[in-house]
Amino acid sequence: MSDHPSRYHHVLPEIVEQLASDKPFGAAKMQATRYSYADAMLELGERNPDVVVLDADVSKSMRTNDFAKRFPERSFNFGIAEQNMMAAAAGMATTGLIPFASTYAVFASLRALDQVRNSIHYPRLNVKIAASHSGITPGPDGVTHQGQEDLSLLRAIANSTVVAPADPVSAKLAVHAAAAYDGPVYLSFTRDPVPTIYSPDFPLRLGRAVVVRDGWDATIIALRDLVAHALVAAARLAEAGLEVRVIDCHTLKPLDVECVLRAAHETGAIVTAENNVIFGGLGSAVAEVLVENHPIPMQRIGVRDIFTESGPYLALLDKYGMSARHMAEAVRQVMARKRRA
Amino acid sequence: MSDHPSRYHHVLPEIVEQLASDKPFGAAKMQATRYSYADAMLELGERNPDVVVLDADVSKSMRTNDFAKRFPERSFNFGIAEQNMMAAAAGMATTGLIPFASTYAVFASLRALDQVRNSIHYPRLNVKIAASHSGITPGPDGVTHQGQEDLSLLRAIANSTVVAPADPVSAKLAVHAAAAYDGPVYLSFTRDPVPTIYSPDFPLRLGRAVVVRDGWDATIIALRDLVAHALVAAARLAEAGLEVRVIDCHTLKPLDVECVLRAAHETGAIVTAENNVIFGGLGSAVAEVLVENHPIPMQRIGVRDIFTESGPYLALLDKYGMSARHMAEAVRQVMARKRRA
Amino acid sequence: MHQVSSAARTEIGPSIEELKGTAQVIRRDIITMIHAAQAGHPGGSLSATDIVTALYFRIMRLDPADPHWPDRDRFILSKGHACPVWYAALAERGFFDKTHLATLRKLDSILQGHADMKKTPGIDMTVGSLGQGICAGLGMALAGKLHGKDYHVFVMIGDGESQEGSVWEAALAAPRWKLDNLTVIVDNNGIQNDTFTDDIMPVEPLAEKWRAFRWNVIEIDGHKMEEIVPALESCLYRDPPDSAGAEGHQPEDCDTTVTRRPGIPTVIIAKTVKGRGVSFMENVPAWHGAAPNDAQAQAALAEFAEGLR
Amino acid sequence: MHQVSSAARTEIGPSIEELKGTAQVIRRDIITMIHAAQAGHPGGSLSATDIVTALYFRIMRLDPADPHWPDRDRFILSKGHACPVWYAALAERGFFDKTHLATLRKLDSILQGHADMKKTPGIDMTVGSLGQGICAGLGMALAGKLHGKDYHVFVMIGDGESQEGSVWEAALAAPRWKLDNLTVIVDNNGIQNDTFTDDIMPVEPLAEKWRAFRWNVIEIDGHKMEEIVPALESCLYRDPPDSAGAEGHQPEDCDTTVTRRPGIPTVIIAKTVKGRGVSFMENVPAWHGAAPNDAQAQAALAEFAEGLR
Ligand SMILES: Cc1ncc(C[n+]2csc(CCOP(=O)(O)OP(=O)(O)O)c2C)c(N)n1
Ligand SMILES: Cc1ncc(C[n+]2csc(CCOP(=O)(O)OP(=O)(O)O)c2C)c(N)n1
Ligand SMILES: [Mg+2]
Ligand SMILES: [Mg+2]
């Protein structure tokens, strides 16, 4: 084996072992992180009587109906009325409740964005927005249900905290971290199952990116579902003798500037990877930090200026240039630019 | 005089003359570009029977009621129902009409963003969105009426064309260019009066940035109302012996990559200036291009991670770090970084 | 220039009995395609089937060879998740080859999970985010009036969809512009995504609401062709070709009399059964967005075969 | 812990006559502050004045010294552009010093162009984008029920604002959750930004609409204290302190009898005059969002002085 297990941090050993194989996640426990959210809400509901869950007729799909069954008096289904749900959540938060407003990313970040901005973020009320179907993770549903730009939209709103956890373990931790934080948090979850890649010791702290693989030749900074694919890319590049750092940038905003700059200084070349448009999201955030502090070659992986389409989730990642092989190719390109510079 | 009139392009001579003075726009004809939009619509209405104007109860403020008076049968006031207006505009466009949907930036980019994305941009229908009160140009109204992130939001939407003209002359040209283009265009206008800085020969072509002042020491890339202030910054820096290029990047998307890269290569240091949040807008767009092609020192001027407040427009620009002196300071800083690099 | 005009709309039209048969064919295609895709929304497709069939096979003026014909009537399935019924009807009507149906929701398909007007011939508006199709339909109706055209715009919305505020924005606007060339049909099947509408966010009394928004309201059984056809014909903006005059038109094989109300848009509130036609899907919320497995698909198809015989 | 409870709400309360006087003081402050700012919305501030006065000086349970008191009644001016009336009432009620009024819309002021709950003591919700305050009020009413509190939530919306779909989303939801601790007041002044509501997008019949959405509807003259006070008291979630029981409470100095409807939210549709109290502003659309010049302000203040004498 050409890869070094000791280079990985918080990644389950059985995952590390197979990363470079044909079926990198053959052994992984697969789960959609929307369900990790639902699980975490059950725990939170037990622990904190101020926690309430708001739905907009997708509680079956997000399994927040589990919370509704266990805590019926703290569960509110607004029907298909996302605007009302978001502004009502703000009103609830003024009384000390901690509302988790749950819907799909497209509806949270588009249909109700005015309420999200003016009623929640402007007065900085303690509302958590739980968005499933982020990125093009609801493959077969097609464009209208694919939150391909939600991270960019939420990052543009002042006072926002935007969190996009990579796997079921970190997703649950992110929910608890959001609940503990006083202020609005946008939580981005996947519709499709993603591999469980982390051990329970994953140190999720809002605003602190995590180096999940060491490396010195280049860095891939990824978030949400693309972290797993970044690990695969790194493992394959390791077989070719390249040591690539992988950073799980679960908190897109506030960005962990220190971690990004350390990677810039120590590896000299960066690839960003997000299942999100390449306008205004992770790639932009990292580019901003680089040009303002330490300009080095960088390349973005993400959805280009296009609406995608229906199809199986992984096939879409591949068709739209976001799979491990695209990341590996991008790493080679930024490294070539680094050498030329 | 230490400044060189020949360095300026398409800028009115009487403007150039006073740029470095205490009252740089004392001689300028002041007009809100929302009114330039209304004027252009009258011309378009005469010329093109397919052009219709849609309003959402701010036609008095945007003066599109002039169009309504002249072409009552082609004017539709939806009342305070921006969602309906945007989706109805899409429906109209399917029949060959060219709807200009007019409202404030906050409502176009927030309240109706789902309709703007799914009914207009996804099917790429020929709707023009005319947004007044972009940036924090509606000073005294306060945050809920200040479109401080509209450019970032619209840039994140696939298939979008985002145009933010600097002055009344280019604003009118932009409206005509948008009408001639087949597809959605977002037009961003100011609520407050801005100086007329351009001569009628201003070469507004969608997607083509314009160098309005030559320079080799650094470049300020600006859009909308901040272009005028960038010219002032450049004129003042010229008195200190620095030659700063100023680019009017009226089309934020698609970005004029060639023009940006030429500036990067020829001047080696860039400041971006937008009356818009620094997340996802012009600063991000330029940073993306730089890191992916020619990483050099850059700095962003814009609204930080904060909601602003009520106040006089120019006082707000100053308080929130977007006036000529901030740009000049930023230029000195990027130049220092360029020298160190 | 264009030679179709009223010829495209079959002068006599299929009989009520023929329409019933066509509806069963469409139901079969719905189940077949959702089964093949192993994803999609059978419940709301089946509740809408009879009405969509009446529209595409008897009411609407269309030319399958020229889906962009400016004079065509428009239909928008604002409850876009139910697009399998739309795709099946368009294919059966000849807008595209039936072989496409098997590609539903697959990569590179012309049949997206929610309907995309730029990918599928005959789809008049891209839909999927609830509450937008009705507003787009309003825009088309406004355009029709402006252009002096006599086409009619039909929009179908869901009862759950009626919770969206934008629906009521459009409801407020249509009478203000006297859009009697616009008809909204509510597929009132009593179920939304999570469960029964009454247990989530009741929308009744729907008729009273639409009346208060100044619409002409017709209430029908959304599965009785004998009620569907005359209700739809009664609100047609232009005279139906086989009608003597605008007032009190009554097709011979239908049992309902309805009167046109010039200058007033009509809403047809259709009482329907979600999953209609497949015994085990009928009125069961779980079938809102679930695909049948092999055995279930077979059972469903067997029921249709029964009905078609 | 907190000592105010019902004492904060004046047991006897100012008389109807006293309230009328207070309303004139508030009108004066509205004109003064908008004149000083040379920007703002006098029309909708003046049409709302009598109702806002009744709320803050007779109906609501509050403690100006503790604006965040959890048991306080809430008021949300969903039509947030009319915040000068809110600021004037809060200042008059002692929430902050009146000297602030002169800073309206100025840099660094606590009085934003549209109300900001984090900057102004007593503002219960940040508003300005129409159609959101009513939804936020719904959330507060839900929270009140969950916490077992007896506070009441009042929300005022505009007639133009009633065109926003989100208003109807909230209208649909409140009866579903039996929010009898929520009262919506429509400032039905017949004018919106561009001109008369009937010429833009008519919203009538408003009472019929709200009834179809299952609300208890009360229609009043929004400038007659004798109608305003009993209407507001009649829907108060808890018993008014001077009331014998829940049913048929009738304050002695008022001439309207109204009955509480447990489990049903109430909407008060108040017929008002935009610009009320300033003769040249009354029912003139141009005064929606224009500030008076020196002469106009003087003329307006003279009219109030007349009324206050
Ligand atoms: C704005 C929006 N919110 C949520 C959804 C997710 N969704 C898809 S179908 C559906 C339920 C629709 O119920 P209904 O309108 O009654 O349709 P039908 O019963 O006819 O299938 C929901 C909530 C959506 N498509 N759009
Ligand atoms: C969502 C939204 N759209 C547009 C506006 C701009 N606007 C401010 S006030 C106003 C008119 C409001 O009319 P109405 O609700 O009748 O208020 P009133 O007459 O009481 O002043 C408009 C359109 C806004 N504030 N919010
Ligand atoms: Mg339904
Ligand atoms: Mg009004």
Side-chain angles (χ1 to χ4, degrees):
Chain A
M1 200 181 81
S2 59
D3 205 356
H4 311 259
S6 67
R7 303 241 155 101
Y8 292 84
H9 307 289
H10 317 292
V11 181
L12 292 167
E14 63 268 32
I15 297 290
V16 171
E17 220 163 84
Q18 309 216 1
L19 278 173
S21 76
D22 265 5
K23 287 209 183 308
F25 302 113
K29 203 170 150 261
M30 304 293 292
Q31 188 183 39
T33 58
R34 60 181 159 147
Y35 296 147
S36 317
Y37 163 61
D39 291 346
M41 291 316 294
L42 286 179
E43 299 168 3
L44 265 177
E46 261 353 312
R47 201 177 299 170
N48 190 338
D50 287 333
V51 165
V52 294
V53 171
L54 279 55
D55 288 295
D57 197 30
V58 291
S59 77
K60 201 160 67 181
S61 161
M62 293 182 68
R63 278 210 200 138
T64 35
N65 55 6
D66 287 354
F67 185 97
K69 261 169 245 148
R70 183 103 125 247
F71 310 102
E73 74 294 342
R74 285 194 271 144
S75 163
F76 303 89
N77 198 326
F78 284 72
I80 312 173
E82 295 82 3
Q83 299 187 85
N84 188 26
M85 175 176 73
M86 290 299 176
M92 288 174 141
T94 67
T95 73
L97 291 176
I98 308 176
F100 279 71
S102 321
T103 183
Y104 296 165
V106 277
F107 309 126
S109 69
L110 294 159
R111 178 62 63 102
L113 190 58
D114 198 13
Q115 286 75 14
V116 164
R117 193 253 210 188
N118 283 308
S119 287
I120 297 175
H121 284 85
Y122 173 25
R124 227 181 186 298
L125 291 169
N126 194 18
V127 174
K128 318 302 168 187
I129 301 168
S132 178
H133 294 46
S134 262
I136 51 172
T137 71
D141 283 334
V143 171
T144 59
H145 283 59
Q146 294 165 345
Q148 67 171 35
E149 66 284 271
D150 66 329
L151 301 179
S152 306
L153 300 178
L154 266 292
R155 196 171 80 92
I157 305 298
N159 293 342
S160 69
T161 293
V162 183
V163 184
D167 86 327
V169 167
S170 56
K172 271 184 81 170
L173 294 168
V175 176
H176 288 288
Y181 171 83
D182 182 23
V185 179
Y186 183 84
L187 292 157
S188 155
F189 302 112
T190 68
R191 193 221 90 112
D192 278 281
V194 294
T196 304
I197 52 177
Y198 294 136
S199 54
D201 69 351
F202 187 82
L204 191 135
R205 281 189 291 161
L206 298 184
R208 289 293 181 85
V210 180
V211 175
V212 292
R213 189 194 190 281
D214 296 327
W216 303 270
D217 292 322
T219 301
I220 305 176
I221 305 180
L223 48 65
R224 208 179 45 226
D225 51 320
L226 293 199
V227 175
H229 299 274
L231 287 170
V232 172
R236 292 192 185 149
L237 288 166
E239 300 207 315
L242 302 180
E243 294 298 342
V244 174
R245 182 177 305 185
V246 177
I247 294 175
D248 178 341
C249 191
H250 52 75
T251 306
L252 168 59
K253 186 180 169 197
L255 190 72
D256 189 340
V257 173
E258 203 197 308
C259 181
V260 168
L261 284 179
R262 207 178 318 117
H265 283 286
E266 294 177 2
T267 75
I270 289 179
V271 168
T272 58
E274 61 196 310
N275 177 352
N276 184 77
V277 292
I278 53 168
F279 306 102
L282 178 65
S284 310
V286 173
E288 294 159 10
V289 167
L290 295 183
V291 293
E292 296 201 331
N293 295 276
H294 186 65
I296 56 159
M298 191 198 109
Q299 198 162 315
R300 290 168 298 163
I301 294 281
V303 179
R304 326 294 304 182
D305 192 25
I306 195 172
F307 287 105
T308 63
E309 64 180 296
S310 288
Y313 162 54
L314 293 176
L316 287 172
L317 283 191
D318 202 54
K319 177 164 177 179
Y320 290 94
M322 294 180 282
S323 53
R325 68 183 175 93
H326 298 102
M327 294 181 205
E329 177 57 28
V331 165
R332 290 181 191 279
Q333 286 173 8
V334 281
M335 285 186 58
R337 286 174 52 211
K338 169 169 97 166
R339 264 180 252 115
R340 274 202 305 275
Chain B
M1 200 178 84
S2 58
D3 203 358
H4 312 259
S6 68
R7 302 242 155 98
Y8 293 84
H9 307 288
H10 317 292
V11 181
L12 292 165
E14 63 268 31
I15 296 289
V16 172
E17 220 163 86
Q18 309 216 1
L19 279 174
S21 77
D22 265 4
K23 289 210 181 309
F25 302 112
K29 207 172 147 258
M30 304 293 293
Q31 188 183 39
T33 57
R34 60 182 160 147
Y35 296 146
S36 318
Y37 162 62
D39 292 345
M41 291 316 295
L42 286 179
E43 298 169 4
L44 265 177
E46 259 357 308
R47 200 177 301 169
N48 190 337
D50 287 332
V51 165
V52 294
V53 171
L54 280 54
D55 287 295
D57 197 30
V58 291
S59 77
K60 202 161 64 180
S61 162
M62 293 182 70
R63 279 210 199 139
T64 35
N65 55 7
D66 286 353
F67 186 96
K69 260 168 246 148
R70 184 104 123 244
F71 310 102
E73 74 293 342
R74 284 193 271 145
S75 162
F76 303 89
N77 197 326
F78 284 72
I80 313 173
E82 295 83 3
Q83 299 187 84
N84 188 27
M85 174 176 71
M86 289 299 176
M92 288 175 141
T94 67
T95 73
L97 290 176
I98 308 176
F100 279 71
S102 321
T103 183
Y104 296 164
V106 277
F107 309 127
S109 69
L110 293 159
R111 177 62 64 99
L113 190 58
D114 198 11
Q115 286 74 14
V116 164
R117 192 253 210 188
N118 283 308
S119 288
I120 297 175
H121 285 85
Y122 173 25
R124 226 181 187 298
L125 291 169
N126 194 18
V127 174
K128 318 303 168 189
I129 301 168
S132 178
H133 294 46
S134 260
I136 51 172
T137 71
D141 283 333
V143 171
T144 58
H145 284 59
Q146 294 165 344
Q148 66 171 33
E149 66 283 271
D150 67 329
L151 301 180
S152 306
L153 300 178
L154 266 293
R155 196 172 79 93
I157 305 297
N159 292 343
S160 69
T161 293
V162 183
V163 184
D167 87 328
V169 167
S170 56
K172 272 185 80 169
L173 294 169
V175 176
H176 287 289
Y181 171 84
D182 182 22
V185 179
Y186 183 84
L187 291 158
S188 155
F189 301 112
T190 68
R191 193 221 91 111
D192 278 281
V194 294
T196 304
I197 52 177
Y198 294 136
S199 54
D201 69 351
F202 187 83
L204 191 134
R205 280 189 293 160
L206 297 186
R208 288 294 182 85
V210 180
V211 175
V212 291
R213 188 193 190 280
D214 296 327
W216 304 269
D217 293 322
T219 302
I220 305 177
I221 306 180
L223 48 64
R224 208 179 46 227
D225 51 319
L226 293 198
V227 175
H229 299 273
L231 287 171
V232 172
R236 292 194 186 148
L237 288 165
E239 300 207 315
L242 303 180
E243 294 298 342
V244 175
R245 182 176 304 184
V246 176
I247 294 175
D248 179 341
C249 190
H250 52 75
T251 306
L252 169 59
K253 187 180 167 197
L255 190 72
D256 188 340
V257 173
E258 202 197 307
C259 181
V260 168
L261 284 179
R262 205 177 319 116
H265 283 286
E266 295 177 3
T267 74
I270 289 179
V271 168
T272 59
E274 61 196 310
N275 178 353
N276 183 76
V277 294
I278 54 168
F279 306 102
L282 177 65
S284 310
V286 173
E288 294 158 9
V289 167
L290 295 183
V291 293
E292 295 201 332
N293 295 277
H294 186 64
I296 56 159
M298 190 197 109
Q299 197 163 316
R300 290 169 297 163
I301 294 281
V303 179
R304 326 294 304 181
D305 192 24
I306 195 173
F307 287 105
T308 63
E309 63 181 298
S310 288
Y313 161 53
L314 293 176
L316 287 172
L317 283 191
D318 202 53
K319 177 165 176 178
Y320 291 95
M322 294 180 283
S323 53
R325 68 184 174 92
H326 297 102
M327 295 182 204
E329 177 58 28
V331 165
R332 289 182 191 279
Q333 286 172 8
V334 282
M335 285 185 59
R337 287 174 51 212
K338 168 169 99 167
R339 264 178 252 115
R340 275 200 305 275
Chain C
M1 171 203 137
H2 197 282
Q3 294 306 314
V4 189
S5 104
S6 74
R9 179 175 176 285
T10 323
E11 275 294 343
I12 310 301
S15 71
I16 293 290
E17 281 316 307
E18 285 166 330
L19 286 174
K20 289 180 184 172
T22 305
Q24 287 306 87
V25 171
I26 287 174
R27 285 198 159 87
R28 188 194 61 199
D29 290 344
I30 289 170
I31 293 298
T32 308
M33 65 199 293
I34 295 178
H35 173 244
Q38 276 303 295
H41 298 79
S45 299
L46 294 168
S47 64
T49 298
D50 297 304
I51 293 163
V52 171
T53 302
L55 284 168
Y56 276 95
F57 292 86
R58 174 136 168 181
I59 304 293
M60 284 169 70
R61 182 171 70 193
L62 321 148
D63 181 4
D66 183 6
H68 295 289
W69 180 32
D71 287 327
R72 76 191 184 281
D73 290 333
R74 271 78 172 166
F75 174 67
I76 301 176
L77 188 68
S78 194
K79 37 168 273 189
H81 56 280
C83 53
V85 66
W86 207 356
Y87 298 153
L90 288 171
E92 180 72 19
R93 193 71 168 79
F95 279 85
F96 53 83
D97 199 276
K98 277 214 167 187
T99 53
H100 285 290
L101 296 182
T103 70
L104 174 70
R105 288 173 168 251
K106 303 232 161 92
L107 203 63
D108 301 319
S109 171
I110 66 163
L111 303 182
Q112 293 295 296
H114 293 76
D116 178 336
M117 65 185 289
K118 291 292 174 87
K119 287 210 160 87
T120 316
I123 294 290
D124 286 317
M125 186 67 209
T126 295
V127 287
S129 176
L130 294 166
Q132 299 193 28
I134 181 174
C135 306
L138 177 108
M140 292 179 193
L142 280 172
K145 293 264 178 178
L146 183 58
H147 287 135
K149 297 214 174 268
D150 68 352
Y151 64 71
H152 199 91
V153 181
F154 295 95
V155 177
M156 177 179 275
I157 64 172
D159 53 343
E161 183 178 11
S162 306
Q163 294 155 352
E164 275 293 348
S166 58
V167 166
W168 300 102
E169 294 182 3
L172 191 68
R176 181 255 182 275
W177 282 308
K178 303 196 194 323
L179 296 181
D180 47 7
N181 56 348
L182 174 68
T183 296
V184 169
I185 304 146
V186 185
D187 185 359
N188 196 14
N189 58 28
I191 294 176
Q192 51 192 111
N193 183 65
D194 278 346
T195 186
F196 295 99
T197 303
D198 277 346
D199 294 335
I200 301 281
M201 183 58 65
V203 296
E204 296 292 353
L206 269 180
E208 215 178 288
K209 287 191 177 67
W210 285 91
R211 259 186 228 112
F213 277 73
R214 296 180 157 165
W215 286 59
N216 177 37
V217 177
I218 302 177
E219 296 182 84
I220 62 165
D221 179 332
H223 300 305
K224 277 216 175 119
M225 273 309 166
E226 294 81 356
E227 296 187 24
I228 296 169
V229 169
L232 290 171
E233 287 207 332
S234 77
C235 41
L236 213 52
Y237 180 47
R238 63 185 176 278
D239 290 343
D242 49 335
S243 155
E247 300 294 312
H249 159 66
Q250 185 177 9
E252 58 232 88
D253 58 357
C254 300
D255 57 8
T256 319
T257 310
V258 263
T259 309
R260 291 171 66 190
R261 305 262 303 272
I264 301 178
T266 296
V267 61
I268 297 175
I269 301 177
K271 186 84 216 83
T272 55
V273 176
K274 204 152 172 171
R276 169 74 174 209
V278 179
S279 57
F280 58 88
M281 290 187 177
E282 286 194 0
N283 212 26
V284 177
W287 287 106
H288 167 77
N293 61 25
D294 293 354
Q296 289 163 331
Q298 290 231 310
L301 295 178
E303 292 188 24
F304 300 142
E306 200 99 335
L308 280 171
R309 227 179 296 131
Chain D
M1 171 203 137
H2 197 281
Q3 296 306 316
V4 188
S5 102
S6 75
R9 181 176 176 284
T10 323
E11 275 294 343
I12 309 301
S15 71
I16 293 290
E17 282 314 307
E18 285 166 329
L19 287 175
K20 290 180 184 173
T22 306
Q24 287 306 89
V25 172
I26 288 173
R27 286 198 159 88
R28 187 195 61 199
D29 290 344
I30 289 170
I31 293 298
T32 309
M33 65 199 293
I34 295 178
H35 172 244
Q38 275 304 294
H41 298 78
S45 299
L46 294 168
S47 63
T49 298
D50 298 302
I51 293 163
V52 172
T53 302
L55 283 168
Y56 275 94
F57 293 85
R58 174 135 169 183
I59 304 293
M60 284 169 71
R61 183 170 70 193
L62 322 148
D63 181 4
D66 183 7
H68 295 289
W69 179 31
D71 288 326
R72 76 190 184 283
D73 290 333
R74 271 80 172 163
F75 174 67
I76 302 176
L77 188 68
S78 193
K79 36 168 275 190
H81 56 281
C83 53
V85 66
W86 208 356
Y87 298 153
L90 289 171
E92 181 71 19
R93 193 72 167 79
F95 279 85
F96 53 83
D97 198 276
K98 278 214 167 187
T99 52
H100 285 290
L101 296 182
T103 69
L104 173 70
R105 288 174 168 248
K106 304 233 159 94
L107 203 63
D108 301 318
S109 171
I110 66 163
L111 303 182
Q112 293 295 295
H114 293 76
D116 178 335
M117 65 185 289
K118 292 291 174 87
K119 287 210 159 86
T120 316
I123 294 291
D124 286 317
M125 186 67 209
T126 295
V127 287
S129 175
L130 294 167
Q132 299 194 27
I134 181 174
C135 306
L138 177 108
M140 292 180 192
L142 279 172
K145 294 263 177 179
L146 183 59
H147 287 135
K149 297 214 175 268
D150 69 351
Y151 64 72
H152 199 92
V153 181
F154 295 94
V155 177
M156 178 179 274
I157 65 172
D159 54 342
E161 184 178 12
S162 306
Q163 294 154 352
E164 275 294 347
S166 58
V167 166
W168 301 101
E169 294 182 2
L172 192 68
R176 180 256 181 275
W177 282 308
K178 304 197 194 320
L179 296 180
D180 47 7
N181 56 349
L182 174 68
T183 296
V184 169
I185 304 146
V186 186
D187 185 359
N188 197 13
N189 58 28
I191 293 176
Q192 50 191 113
N193 183 65
D194 279 345
T195 186
F196 295 100
T197 303
D198 276 347
D199 294 334
I200 300 281
M201 182 57 64
V203 296
E204 296 292 352
L206 269 180
E208 216 179 287
K209 288 192 177 66
W210 285 91
R211 260 187 226 110
F213 277 74
R214 296 181 157 163
W215 286 58
N216 178 35
V217 177
I218 301 178
E219 296 181 84
I220 63 166
D221 179 331
H223 300 305
K224 276 218 176 118
M225 273 306 166
E226 294 81 358
E227 297 188 25
I228 296 169
V229 170
L232 290 171
E233 288 207 331
S234 77
C235 42
L236 212 52
Y237 180 46
R238 62 184 177 279
D239 290 345
D242 49 335
S243 153
E247 302 293 314
H249 160 66
Q250 184 176 12
E252 57 229 90
D253 58 354
C254 299
D255 57 6
T256 319
T257 310
V258 264
T259 310
R260 291 170 67 190
R261 305 264 303 274
I264 301 179
T266 296
V267 61
I268 298 174
I269 300 178
K271 186 83 214 81
T272 55
V273 176
K274 204 152 171 171
R276 169 74 173 206
V278 179
S279 56
F280 57 88
M281 291 187 176
E282 286 194 1
N283 212 27
V284 177
W287 288 105
H288 166 77
N293 62 25
D294 294 353
Q296 290 163 331
Q298 289 231 310
L301 295 177
E303 291 189 25
F304 300 142
E306 198 99 335
L308 279 171
R309 228 178 296 131

